[in-house]
Amino acid sequence: MQSSYIPFVLAHKLYPLCNVKVSIFYGDSYEMHQVVYSHEGEWCDIPIISIHDGTSLPIPNWIEAEWLSVVECENYALECEIDEAKAQLIWNEAKENGWSIKYLQIGLVPYGGVAIWLCGSKKTVLLHWLKAEKREIGIVDDKPFPTSAFGPVCDEILKQKPEALHYLNSYGLPQQDMFDNWMRQYSFRYDIVFCQLNGNEWIPKVFDEDSDEMEPEIEFVADYCYDGTYDKTHSDHLFLYHESGMPKRLGLCWQEGNNTMKAFFWFEYGFMNKVFKDFFGSHPGINADFQMLIDSGVKRYDVRLSSCESTCEPIIIPYEAYQVVVFCDGFEFFRSENYAQEDGAWNW
């Protein structure tokens, strides 16, 4: 089936690359299309500016990639089949649900991680998380040319990437399992619960039928997750159980009385990884509720993982794990004590 998309190669801004060669293949004859290493940014950021030459490419069925990870000074190579049927299914579902796929994005990170996403402006779906193997760069005098010889080249590239260099000098290389943790998907849904805080206990909020007070009504949830997926379609999909990475950013909007409320959350990786591993590790195969407990009257916005399973105790996500800012009719209503985001960070 012919599809119209722009293929790109992405590097995370903290982990630059060089010597990037990526090709996708498609069709029974495995025709090749070389993919441009286009940009660096957050994980699965789509390019701000892109030019489509009108070329229609079939969904690919094979990928070949080789690149030098600058922060490690290690070379990686991958040759792997792409699940064409799965990609076609995602493509069809996107079209049926009113969002279009514009990009096939290939993300490359240290330790040989390769992510393949199908992206639109409103939503991105992870197609594959793959692992490449280390490989020396070429042959000189019938001997492998060691990647380590590129050390001065990597050092020079890092000098041109001050943010990446500062991060490497401050924190060193990431843990070996960090990217696998980013890309691990869990089965959960978002559950927005308007409650009343009684001391430190959340209790159901009762609405008197004879009162003018109206029950709050959720309008939408949007998320951006550690696996690079995001959903800004404002559909009901996020309120249903679905497979996704840990939430990294979350935005929600609701009507409360005559006011329009919007809340934005940023979640820290270390805390979230521990909470999700503890919860799902103790209850393998479970469907979880990612609950937002809201009492705007006392300005409390708590988060926890829970489940309908009777044997499953909720896990409270500690306040240190996230930052939150809340707006009421466009004016700031609340911000957490640890809030440190730049002005306008909620515009994503």
Side-chain angles (χ1 to χ4, degrees):
M1 176 179 176
Q2 290 290 315
S3 308
S4 182
Y5 60 87
I6 307 173
F8 278 121
V9 174
L10 162 75
H12 193 283
K13 63 181 181 180
L14 298 179
Y15 311 110
L17 315 173
C18 70
N19 293 350
V20 180
K21 301 174 185 176
V22 177
S23 299
I24 55 174
F25 299 80
Y26 47 86
D28 295 336
S29 59
Y30 285 88
E31 294 181 64
M32 184 189 76
H33 180 90
Q34 191 165 350
V35 187
V36 176
Y37 171 34
S38 63
H39 61 299
E40 299 170 359
E42 296 293 338
W43 201 216
C44 200
D45 269 359
I46 58 177
I48 297 174
I49 299 175
S50 58
I51 299 174
H52 198 322
D53 63 4
T55 302
S56 292
L57 299 174
I59 291 175
N61 49 26
W62 189 265
I63 180 174
E64 293 183 3
E66 186 170 359
W67 74 97
L68 180 66
S69 172
V70 172
V71 294
E72 305 168 86
C73 197
E74 291 285 1
N75 195 60
Y76 292 94
L78 172 77
E79 296 181 5
C80 188
E81 185 176 8
I82 295 177
D83 191 336
E84 188 177 1
K86 181 181 177 182
Q88 186 64 66
L89 181 62
I90 295 170
W91 193 281
N92 294 342
E93 288 179 348
K95 189 174 182 180
E96 291 170 4
N97 290 292
W99 64 279
S100 59
I101 293 171
K102 298 175 63 178
Y103 308 99
L104 183 140
Q105 181 118 256
I106 301 166
L108 308 176
V109 286
Y111 311 129
V114 181
I116 303 177
W117 302 277
L118 296 176
C119 308
S121 59
K122 295 290 186 181
K123 186 173 179 176
T124 282
V125 178
L126 178 66
L127 179 61
H128 287 300
W129 171 240
L130 307 167
K131 282 298 182 72
E133 296 181 349
K134 290 182 182 179
R135 182 181 295 177
E136 298 293 0
I137 301 177
I139 302 294
V140 176
D141 295 331
D142 297 324
K143 296 179 181 179
F145 189 72
T147 306
S148 57
F150 278 75
V153 175
C154 293
D155 292 341
E156 190 61 34
I157 291 173
L158 281 170
K159 289 179 183 178
Q160 309 303 317
K161 309 285 183 180
E163 185 177 3
L165 180 60
H166 174 74
Y167 194 87
L168 181 64
N169 289 338
S170 300
Y171 303 103
L173 288 172
Q175 293 182 340
Q176 287 276 349
D177 64 350
M178 187 181 81
F179 300 109
D180 289 325
N181 292 332
W182 280 12
M183 304 308 294
R184 185 172 289 112
Q185 295 192 319
Y186 303 90
S187 179
F188 66 93
R189 66 181 178 184
Y190 295 108
D191 183 22
I192 315 303
V193 186
F194 299 99
C195 303
Q196 186 172 342
L197 197 62
N198 184 13
N200 285 321
E201 182 183 1
W202 287 98
I203 62 174
K205 189 169 185 177
V206 179
F207 295 89
D208 189 346
E209 293 182 0
D210 297 328
S211 170
D212 292 335
E213 186 179 12
M214 295 182 296
E215 185 173 355
E217 183 178 350
I218 188 72
E219 289 198 355
F220 65 81
V221 170
D223 72 353
Y224 179 101
C225 298
Y226 274 96
D227 64 352
T229 62
Y230 54 83
D231 189 331
K232 300 183 285 185
T233 60
H234 296 179
S235 68
D236 292 336
H237 173 73
L238 294 178
F239 299 116
L240 306 174
Y241 291 118
H242 60 282
E243 298 285 331
S244 177
M246 302 176 295
K248 184 175 184 180
R249 298 198 296 264
L250 190 65
L252 56 147
C253 176
W254 71 95
Q255 294 295 323
E256 191 162 352
N258 295 320
N259 305 117
T260 298
M261 309 292 293
K262 291 184 178 181
F264 301 91
F265 294 77
W266 290 261
F267 297 97
E268 196 273 329
Y269 161 70
F271 284 102
M272 294 295 284
N273 185 49
K274 184 179 187 311
V275 168
F276 269 70
K277 279 190 171 181
D278 288 349
F279 187 86
F280 285 93
S282 301
H283 311 283
I286 201 170
N287 291 321
D289 293 335
F290 192 88
Q291 290 189 323
M292 322 293 290
L293 305 171
I294 296 175
D295 185 347
S296 295
V298 296
K299 297 185 178 182
R300 274 286 292 271
Y301 305 91
D302 287 9
V303 186
R304 70 183 183 188
L305 270 179
S306 66
S307 175
C308 296
E309 298 280 349
S310 59
T311 58
C312 184
E313 288 293 326
I315 294 183
I316 303 296
I317 297 179
Y319 294 126
E320 299 88 350
Y322 59 93
Q323 301 174 36
V324 58
V325 62
V326 182
F327 296 92
C328 177
D329 295 331
F331 295 94
E332 186 174 308
F333 179 73
F334 169 79
R335 66 166 60 189
S336 57
E337 291 184 3
N338 64 347
Y339 188 77
Q341 299 295 319
E342 295 181 359
D343 189 38
W346 50 84
N347 294 321
W348 53 273

